Amino acid sequence: MPPVVYVGSDAVEHLLRFCESRRFPRYTLVADHNTYAAMGARIADVWAHRAWTTDVALLNGGEVIADEHRIMQLLMRADHANRVYLAVGSGTITDIVRFVSFVTRDQFISVPTAPSVDGYTSTGAALTIGKSKHTVPAHAPLAVFADLDTLCAAPPAMIAAGYGDMLGKYTSLADWELGHVVWGEAYSEPIARRVRTALETCRESLRQGAPFSREAIRGLTASLIESGQCIADFGSSEAASGSEHHLSHYWEMLLLRENRPPLLHGAKVAVGAVVVAGIYDRLRRLTRTQVATRLRDAAPPARDEEIAAIRRGFGDDAERIIARHSTFLDMMPSDVDRLKHTITDVWARIQDIASTVPAPGALAEMLRRVHAPVTPDELGLDRRDLSRALTYASYMRNRFTVLKLARWLGVPTDALIAH
């Protein structure tokens, strides 16, 4: 069943009524210092007046990351009693609680404090284990109660990150359809239409010129929740996560390995989307004849070279990536020929897909309206960080994306790196 969703004023009152109707035996409220002040304290106070058994788990002590340390910190508080977890926070806390409640076989309710990510209603938990990014199967929340006043008071950078995550759907939707057309990956047009509708709701807030107004934040939040629900309904993240997310995930792993400060997920996705839009822009300029010429002599790297590249790019996590990428690593000559012919035969369709992605300048302009970063240097990333991400991000998932297509066609990325 899809979760109950409420976005509006007096969310605590609506959450209270929901819990009264379900008569849950006990609660564990999970928050960090900031989200407890923003929303958690109000809930704890109301619950105390009801004399409901509630354990407050504050994840304090430095940057809160959805990693093994924070997971164990919360698991150590669990016992055999049934409970409902209240995840009060944004994407990180939601993923920690999503995974822990799944492991303990309890349910959880999401109480977002910022419209920053689309993962509130999804079923996968984005975790960092051993400084590597993993999306682990878990479960969706029982309900989502998002208080509009709290969302509007969120840090502007987190709101901008939410817009970045949503506007990144331009490239993720294109990648999803591209993988279906070229590689035969699973695809659902009804789900794609829902994501496009959510994207258009978000875009409308920008067109009206008041992206931080109450109604715009309501629309952004509804769009993010719907995007996450589409992921859950489809059963995997392809509908809302493409090359722009793969770049983001690679940067996140890179920053962790090099002990550099983390960056907001949606901010990285925003920059990744502009980069990927630039690749699609270059593909739009190629004719079918040019594509056939480029593919005629194109060959995949030797398997040993590919594995060596993965080891350079992923370090200790390389073996997992190699195993995941076996479909592409083990291509036979007949598979290569088939792929070349498919790309050439469906090139008109690929150009139609590319035309759904705004030009990089247009996408950057949308993001600038909400003060989101649009270039790597605005994130504090340098030319080498972008170069490495463009080289290795296509290995993040066993999928055929525009990053792989650009590689087959020899589309240069030097201009993108310079930008």
Side-chain angles (χ1 to χ4, degrees), residues 138 174 357 381 407:
V357 178
L381 301 173
R407 188 174 178 185

Side-chain angles (χ1 to χ4, degrees), residues 34-340:
N34 293 325
T35 63
Y36 188 77
M39 193 71 172
R42 268 187 286 167
I43 297 173
D45 184 60
V46 171
W47 264 230
H49 279 83
R50 291 293 188 281
W52 289 348
T53 303
T54 308
D55 174 33
V56 176
L58 285 180
L59 304 179
N60 288 329
E63 184 76 29
V64 176
I65 298 172
D67 60 8
E68 56 266 57
H69 168 68
R70 296 298 184 175
I71 290 167
M72 284 305 301
Q73 187 179 349
L74 189 54
L75 276 173
M76 291 294 289
R77 304 177 72 106
D79 54 30
H80 295 295
N82 292 331
R83 71 189 64 245
V84 168
Y85 286 85
L86 302 175
V88 182
S90 56
T92 298
I93 287 176
T94 302
D95 279 329
I96 294 169
V97 174
R98 186 195 317 280
F99 180 74
V100 169
S101 62
F102 180 72
V103 170
T104 61
R105 300 185 179 182
D106 293 308
Q107 295 175 315
F108 84 99
I109 296 171
S110 175
V111 187
T113 55
S116 55
V117 295
D118 70 351
Y120 292 117
T121 49
S122 69
T123 54
L127 306 178
T128 301
I129 307 298
K131 296 190 176 183
S132 295
K133 196 72 176 179
H134 301 257
T135 299
V136 180
H139 59 186
L142 185 63
V144 179
F145 290 91
D147 184 71
L148 194 54
D149 292 331
T150 302
L151 299 176
C152 290
M158 296 191 77
I159 297 173
Y163 278 109
D165 205 3
M166 276 309 303
L167 292 173
K169 307 313 173 202
Y170 278 116
T171 52
S172 65
L173 283 168
D175 267 2
W176 190 22
E177 189 173 0
L178 177 69
H180 173 64
V181 169
V182 174
W183 199 248
E185 294 172 358
Y187 182 77
S188 169
E189 183 54 40
I191 295 288
R193 280 198 302 270
R194 285 171 55 190
V195 177
R196 288 191 198 101
T197 299
L199 173 57
E200 187 56 33
T201 298
C202 173
R203 178 76 188 277
E204 188 60 30
S205 298
L206 298 179
R207 290 195 188 101
Q208 292 174 357
F212 292 92
S213 68
R214 285 177 64 84
E215 285 311 303
I217 298 300
R218 186 196 298 273
L220 171 61
T221 305
S223 298
L224 290 164
I225 289 173
E226 171 66 357
S227 176
Q229 189 59 50
C230 287
I231 294 172
D233 291 346
F234 185 66
S236 59
S237 64
E238 283 93 327
S241 174
S243 295
E244 74 297 324
H245 274 70
H246 303 162
L247 291 169
S248 170
H249 292 328
Y250 189 79
W251 281 324
E252 185 169 352
M253 292 172 61
L254 194 63
L255 295 174
L256 284 166
R257 289 206 308 265
E258 297 180 355
N259 295 313
R260 294 157 67 183
L263 298 167
L264 288 172
H265 167 75
K268 298 194 298 293
V269 169
V271 173
V274 175
V275 171
V276 175
I279 298 174
Y280 272 110
D281 189 53
R282 290 186 167 205
L283 294 181
R284 279 194 291 267
R285 303 168 192 269
L286 294 177
T287 67
R288 185 177 184 276
T289 301
Q290 290 172 321
V291 167
T293 301
R294 285 170 178 252
L295 287 173
R296 186 164 49 238
D297 299 321
R303 190 177 190 278
D304 291 346
E305 294 176 6
E306 198 87 336
I307 288 174
I310 292 173
R311 287 183 174 141
R312 285 194 300 273
F314 291 90
D316 293 341
D317 204 35
E319 298 310 313
R320 180 176 67 90
I321 300 295
I322 291 167
R324 172 189 288 172
H325 221 66
S326 60
T327 305
F328 295 97
L329 290 172
D330 298 335
M331 288 178 70
M332 302 295 291
S334 58
D335 299 321
V336 172
D337 289 342
R338 190 180 306 114
L339 176 60
K340 289 181 179 182

Side-chain angles (χ1 to χ4, degrees), residues 343-360:
I343 293 171
T344 305
D345 291 345
V346 301
W347 187 250
R349 178 85 178 273
I350 291 173
Q351 287 195 312
D352 287 342
I353 293 169
S355 69
T356 66
V357 178

